[in-house]
Amino acid sequence: GRARAVALISAAAVLATAIVSGATVLRTDEANGGADTTVHAAPSAAAPPSLVVDQLNGITLPVPAGWTGSSYLAQDDVVMTTDGTYACPADTGRCRHGQVISRTAGSADGASPRTVAERDVPDAAEAAYGHDPGGGRPFGGIRSHRVVKAGRVAVAGRDGYLVRWRVRTADGPGGYVQSLAFPSDTGIPAPVVVRFVFDAGPDGPPLSDMDAITKGIRPADRP
């Protein structure tokens, strides 16, 4: 009989506690105007991509703020661009303030990175600020250029070479074009060439982005 009485008293205590807790929750809900006060876990926001992968040449490149990895773009070899477009200075169509292009050097088997970079930069400048693939001249053509930086640089653990031009155009502020060449880590004899095209003027990306991207290039199979 005593055991039964103890059990009944315990059950009554549990029931009373539940009633009090329920009343407390009800008063809290009423104080919040009947709003749902349930705490829900916030969904995890997808982090923006910080790297773009060039599978063909076996490298990854860091994507700075204000840039977009552009593996979805139609233009061949473009791996990233600055966000947004603007009306080209001297022609119909849209231009971008910055582009980074990763490609394999053609007909350069056995050539040094310096030779490859020095041969590539005139073509890179013409493609960026001279004639476009359709024959138009979005910047009115190139008026002059000068070398503003050239020298050896370590890229993805290998000895590379870069040449940077300051390009003056007939229309608009012109820009900077850099050709960076370094040996491939994939066993391909021809070196990798990364071209940088940055508009000059206040709307162009900072030149420090060239150096940051160059420094951050890594083999695709290594972090």
Side-chain angles (χ1 to χ4, degrees), residues 5-16:
V6 170
L8 289 173
I9 293 170
S10 299
V14 171
L15 178 60

Side-chain angles (χ1 to χ4, degrees), residues 64-221:
W67 291 76
T68 301
S70 53
S71 57
Y72 57 86
L73 291 183
Q75 185 175 351
D76 292 342
D77 304 327
V78 175
V79 293
M80 72 180 83
T81 67
T82 48
D83 296 338
T85 63
Y86 66 98
C88 300
D91 205 354
T92 57
R94 308 296 294 177
C95 288
R96 293 183 182 272
H97 289 299
Q99 295 186 78
V100 178
I101 300 151
S102 179
R103 56 197 301 270
T104 305
S107 303
D109 295 1
S112 69
R114 176 173 182 171
T115 298
V116 172
E118 290 176 342
R119 289 177 179 174
D120 184 76
V121 70
D123 294 338
E126 177 63 24
Y129 293 107
H131 290 82
D132 64 22
R137 298 198 299 174
F139 299 88
I142 296 174
R143 289 291 177 86
S144 65
H145 78 272
R146 61 186 175 91
V147 178
V148 295
K149 187 174 183 179
R152 295 171 57 186
V153 61
V155 185
R158 299 195 167 216
D159 191 17
Y161 197 90
L162 66 83
V163 180
R164 184 182 300 173
W165 281 10
R166 171 64 166 101
V167 177
R168 303 285 180 180
T169 55
D171 295 287
Y176 295 86
V177 177
Q178 176 174 292
S179 290
L180 168 68
F182 54 95
S184 173
D185 199 43
T186 63
I188 299 174
V192 180
V193 175
V194 178
R195 291 178 174 178
F196 299 79
V197 179
F198 283 34
D199 282 356
D203 295 325
L207 289 179
S208 58
D209 282 357
M210 282 193 190
D211 299 324
I213 294 170
T214 298
K215 185 178 180 180
I217 294 174
R218 297 285 185 273
D221 59 350

